[in-house]
Amino acid sequence: EITPVRRALLSVSDKTGLVDLARTLEAQGIELVSTGGTASALREAGLNVADVSDLTGFPAMMDGRVKTLHPGVHGGLLALRDDEAHVAAMDEHAIAAIDLLVVNLYPFESTVAGGADYDTCIENIDIGGPAMIRAAAKNHRFVTVVTDIEDYVPLQEELAAHDGGTTLAFRQKLALTAYSRTAAYDAAVSGWMAGALDEPAPRRRSVSGTLRQTMRYGENPHQNAAFYADGSARPGVASATQHQGKALSYNNINDTDAAFELVSEFLPKDGPACAIIKHANPCGVARGATLEAAYRAAFDCDRTSAFGGIVALNGILDATTARAITEIFTEVVIAPGADDAAKEIFAGKKNLRLLTTDGLANPLEPALTYRQVSGGFLVQDKDVGHPTELRTVTKRAPSEAEMRDLLFAWTVAKHVKSNAIVYARGDATVGIGAGQMSRVDSTRIAARKAHDMAEALGLDATPTQGAAVASDAFFPFPDGLLAAADAGATAVIQPGGSVRDDEVIAAADEAGLAMVFTGMRHFRH
Ligand code: 5GP
C-alpha cells in the first residue's frame, strides 16, 4: 500500500514553505510540474520545473480562469493505475500520471474579509484548484493531495520514511482534509453571495468554519471537543491574543465569550465597566469611576460565585485593577488591552489566562447563533435588539437615577439565561436570578442572594432596597413583581405584553412602583 511518488503538481497561491518543500521533492528524484506563478517562484529559487502547459498543450488563458482544467491534468490525477483500460487511455492520449498534488486556493476568504468589491471577490473564486483537489482526493488510493501548508512537514517526513512513497493511511487522512477544505471554501463563497444578495442570514443554507483548536475535552471530561473560527473579524474570544496561561477549555471559551459580549454593551465613553461570569451567567456587573472600582463593585454582587470566574473589562487592564483581580482565583481575564505593569502582575499567576482583543465587539453588529437539536440544528440572528421606545405604564414615572439603574439592569438581563431577573442600584447589579423555570423563583433567588451578600459584607440594609429590577420577559402574574417590591425594589423594567398587564400594572401602582415597558423581550436559553 506504499505508493511511490514520481511526479508532483504544485499550484499554490500562498507560496509560504513552497521552495523548501520543492527542494525535498527534487532531492527525492520527484519530477515537478507547476502553474505560472508557482513555476516562476520555483525557477527563481533555482529549481527545475516543467509547466502545466506541457501536460495540456494549452497555455493558461482567460486571465488564469483556465489553467489546469484539461484531461492532461485530470486524467493524470484520476486514472486508476491498476486498471488496464485506464492505463491504455493514458498511453493513447499521452497522459502523464500525477502522484502528488500540492494546492492552496485563491485567497477567497481573506479577499472578502478585506472588504473587496463584488467583481474582485468573483475573480478570487478558484475553479481549477478545487477541481484538482477533489480529483486527487477521490483517487487517494494512488494520489497524495496536500491542501494545507501545515501538512508540508508531515509530507516530507512521510516521503523520507517510505523511500519517496506514501502509505494509504496517510493519503486517506490528507484526502479527508482536502474535502473539508473544498467544502469550507464553497461554503464561504455561498455565504458571501448570500450576504451580497441580502439573503437573511439564518436562511443561508451553508455554514463553515476553520478548525482553530482541538481541546483536551468538552463540557465534561468524557466529551471530545474543538473550536472552529467562522472568519469574522469581530473582536472577541475567537480572535483574541492569549498572553499567558494554559490553553482555553471548552467552558472557558463559552464563558469568556459571554463575559466579553456583555461588557461590550458598555461603551468606554460611558465609563469603565466590568462583568464577571460563571457558567455562562453574569454573577456581577458594574460601572465605576475606575476599572478597579468597576471590578470591585461587580465582585461585591456575588463574591461567592465570582471565585474561579471569568472577568471581562471594557478598558485597558491597568496595574491596580490587575492587583485587585489577583486577590482571588480567576480563570480568565479578557480586555481590549493590558498595560505592561498589569501583565507583569499577572505573570506571577501561572493559572490565570489573559486575553486581549484590540477593541470591543459592536453589540449592534448582526451575527448568527446556532443550537443543536436531535436531527439538526437551529439557526437564528443573534439578539442584537435594543428597545426603541420606553413607555411608563404606572402612575409614578421613574426618577432619573431609577431610569439609569433600569437601563443598566435591562442591559445585563439580556445576557442572563431565562427566566432572568436582575436588580441593580448605583451602576451595579446587586442581585441576579438566572435560569429558573418560574419567574417568581428567579425574583426570589436574586433577592435572597442579595440579602446573603449584604450579611456577608456586614451591610445594614439589603442592597435591593431602592433598586431597579429588570425582567427579561413579561410578568405573567403580579406575584413576581410583588416579590421584587417585597425585596425593596422601587422601579421595574420589563417588556409588557401579558394578557394580565392590567393586573400587573395595578399591583405596581398599589406598591408605589414606577414601571417601564420596553416592548421587546430578551429570552436567552
Ligand atoms: P499560480 O500562482 O501558480 O499562477 O496559480 C496558483 C493558483 O491557481 C492556485 O491557487 C490554484 O488553485 C489555482 N489554479 C490552478 N488551476 C486553475 C484553473 O484552471 N483555474 C483557476 N481559476 N485557478 C486555478
Side-chain angles (χ1 to χ4, degrees), residues 10-13 15 35-39 64-69 103-106 125-130 132:
L10 301 98
S11 181
V12 292
S13 283
K15 270 98 183 155
T35 44
T38 310
R65 283 185 170 207
V66 181
K67 290 191 264 203
T68 56
L69 294 159
V103 170
N104 60 58
L105 302 173
Y106 287 180
I125 301 173
D126 198 324
I127 300 300
M132 289 194 290

Coordinates of all heavy atoms in Angstrom, one line a residue, residues 10-13 15 35-39 64-69 103-106 125-130 132, ligand 1:
L10 N 2.5 21.2 -8.4 CA 2.3 22.2 -7.4 C 1.7 23.4 -8.0 O 2.1 23.9 -9.0 CB 3.7 22.6 -6.8 CG 4.5 21.4 -6.2 CD1 5.5 20.9 -7.3 CD2 5.2 21.8 -5.0
S11 N 0.6 23.9 -7.3 CA -0.1 25.1 -7.8 C -0.6 25.8 -6.6 O -1.7 25.4 -6.0 CB -1.2 24.7 -8.8 OG -1.9 25.8 -9.2
V12 N 0.1 26.8 -6.1 CA -0.3 27.4 -4.8 C -0.4 28.9 -4.9 O 0.5 29.6 -5.6 CB 0.7 27.0 -3.7 CG1 0.6 25.6 -3.4 CG2 2.2 27.4 -4.1
S13 N -1.4 29.5 -4.3 CA -1.5 31.0 -4.2 C -0.6 31.5 -3.1 O 0.2 32.4 -3.3 CB -2.9 31.4 -3.9 OG -3.7 31.3 -5.1
K15 N 2.6 31.1 -1.2 CA 3.9 30.4 -1.6 C 4.7 30.1 -0.3 O 5.8 29.7 -0.5 CB 4.7 31.3 -2.6 CG 4.3 30.9 -4.0 CD 3.4 31.8 -4.8 CE 3.1 31.3 -6.2 NZ 1.8 31.8 -6.6
T35 N 2.0 25.6 -12.2 CA 1.3 26.6 -13.0 C 2.2 27.9 -12.9 O 3.1 27.9 -12.1 CB -0.1 26.9 -12.3 OG1 0.1 26.9 -10.9 CG2 -1.1 25.9 -12.7
G36 N 1.8 28.9 -13.6 CA 2.6 30.1 -13.9 C 3.4 30.7 -12.7 O 4.6 30.6 -12.7
G37 N 2.6 31.2 -11.8 CA 3.3 31.9 -10.6 C 4.1 31.0 -9.8 O 5.2 31.3 -9.3
T38 N 3.6 29.8 -9.6 CA 4.3 28.8 -8.8 C 5.6 28.4 -9.5 O 6.7 28.3 -8.8 CB 3.4 27.6 -8.5 OG1 2.1 28.0 -8.1 CG2 4.0 26.6 -7.5
A39 N 5.5 28.2 -10.8 CA 6.7 27.8 -11.6 C 7.7 28.9 -11.5 O 8.9 28.6 -11.3 CB 6.3 27.5 -13.0
G64 N -6.2 33.4 -16.4 CA -5.9 32.4 -15.5 C -7.2 31.6 -15.0 O -7.1 30.6 -14.3
R65 N -8.3 31.9 -15.6 CA -9.5 31.2 -15.2 C -9.4 29.7 -15.7 O -9.9 28.8 -15.1 CB -10.8 31.8 -15.9 CG -11.3 33.0 -15.1 CD -12.6 33.5 -15.7 NE -13.1 34.6 -14.9 CZ -14.4 34.9 -14.8 NH1 -15.3 34.2 -15.6 NH2 -14.9 35.8 -14.1
V66 N -8.7 29.5 -16.8 CA -8.5 28.2 -17.3 C -7.0 27.9 -17.4 O -6.3 28.5 -18.3 CB -9.1 28.0 -18.7 CG1 -8.9 26.6 -19.2 CG2 -10.6 28.3 -18.6
K67 N -6.5 27.1 -16.5 CA -5.0 26.8 -16.4 C -4.8 25.3 -16.4 O -4.0 24.8 -17.2 CB -4.4 27.4 -15.1 CG -4.3 28.9 -15.1 CD -3.4 29.3 -13.9 CE -4.3 29.6 -12.7 NZ -3.6 30.5 -11.7
T68 N -5.6 24.6 -15.6 CA -5.3 23.2 -15.3 C -6.5 22.4 -15.7 O -6.5 21.1 -15.5 CB -5.0 22.9 -13.9 OG1 -6.0 23.5 -13.0 CG2 -3.7 23.6 -13.5
L69 N -7.6 23.0 -16.2 CA -8.9 22.3 -16.5 C -8.7 21.6 -17.8 O -9.1 22.1 -18.8 CB -10.0 23.3 -16.5 CG -10.3 23.9 -15.1 CD1 -11.1 25.2 -15.2 CD2 -11.1 22.9 -14.2
V103 N -1.8 21.9 -3.6 CA -2.6 23.1 -4.0 C -3.0 23.9 -2.8 O -3.5 23.3 -1.8 CB -3.8 22.7 -4.8 CG1 -4.8 23.9 -5.0 CG2 -3.5 22.1 -6.1
N104 N -2.8 25.2 -2.8 CA -3.7 26.0 -1.9 C -4.4 27.0 -2.8 O -3.9 27.5 -3.8 CB -3.0 26.6 -0.7 CG -1.9 27.5 -1.0 OD1 -2.0 28.5 -1.7 ND2 -0.7 27.2 -0.5
L105 N -5.6 27.3 -2.4 CA -6.6 28.0 -3.3 C -6.4 29.5 -3.3 O -5.8 30.1 -2.4 CB -8.0 27.6 -2.9 CG -8.3 26.1 -2.9 CD1 -9.7 25.8 -2.3 CD2 -8.2 25.6 -4.3
Y106 N -7.0 30.1 -4.3 CA -7.1 31.6 -4.4 C -7.6 32.1 -3.0 O -8.6 31.4 -2.5 CB -8.1 32.1 -5.4 CG -7.7 32.0 -6.9 CD1 -8.5 32.4 -7.9 CD2 -6.4 31.5 -7.3 CE1 -8.2 32.4 -9.2 CE2 -6.1 31.4 -8.6 CZ -7.0 31.8 -9.6 OH -6.7 31.8 -10.9
I125 N -12.6 33.5 -6.8 CA -13.2 32.2 -6.6 C -12.3 31.2 -7.5 O -12.3 31.3 -8.7 CB -14.6 32.1 -7.1 CG1 -15.5 33.1 -6.3 CG2 -15.2 30.7 -6.9 CD1 -16.9 33.2 -6.8
D126 N -11.6 30.3 -6.8 CA -10.7 29.4 -7.5 C -11.6 28.3 -8.1 O -12.5 27.7 -7.4 CB -9.8 28.8 -6.5 CG -8.6 28.1 -7.1 OD1 -8.7 27.5 -8.2 OD2 -7.5 28.2 -6.5
I127 N -11.4 28.0 -9.4 CA -12.1 26.9 -10.0 C -11.3 25.7 -10.3 O -11.6 24.6 -9.9 CB -12.7 27.4 -11.4 CG1 -13.6 28.6 -11.1 CG2 -13.4 26.3 -12.1 CD1 -14.8 28.3 -10.2
G128 N -10.1 25.9 -10.9 CA -9.3 24.8 -11.2 C -8.7 24.1 -10.0 O -8.5 22.9 -10.0
G129 N -8.4 24.9 -9.0 CA -7.8 24.3 -7.8 C -8.7 23.3 -7.1 O -8.3 22.2 -6.9
P130 N -9.9 23.7 -6.8 CA -10.8 22.7 -6.1 C -11.1 21.5 -7.0 O -11.2 20.4 -6.5 CB -12.1 23.5 -5.9 CG -11.7 25.0 -5.9 CD -10.5 25.1 -6.8
M132 N -9.0 20.1 -9.1 CA -7.9 19.2 -9.0 C -7.8 18.5 -7.6 O -7.6 17.3 -7.5 CB -6.5 19.9 -9.2 CG -6.3 20.4 -10.6 SD -4.6 20.9 -10.8 CE -4.6 22.5 -9.9
Ligands
5GP1 P1 0.0 30.4 -9.9 O1 0.4 31.4 -8.8 O2 0.8 29.2 -9.9 O3 -0.1 31.0 -11.2 O4 -1.5 29.9 -9.6 C1 -1.8 29.1 -8.5 C2 -3.2 29.1 -8.2 O5 -4.0 28.9 -9.3 C3 -3.6 28.1 -7.1 O6 -4.3 28.8 -6.1 C4 -4.5 27.1 -7.9 O7 -5.6 26.6 -7.0 C5 -5.1 28.0 -9.0 N1 -5.5 27.2 -10.2 C6 -4.9 26.2 -10.7 N2 -5.5 25.9 -11.9 C7 -6.5 26.7 -12.1 C8 -7.6 26.9 -13.1 O8 -7.6 26.1 -14.1 N3 -8.5 27.9 -12.9 C9 -8.4 28.7 -11.8 N4 -9.3 29.6 -11.7 N5 -7.5 28.6 -10.9 C10 -6.5 27.6 -11.0

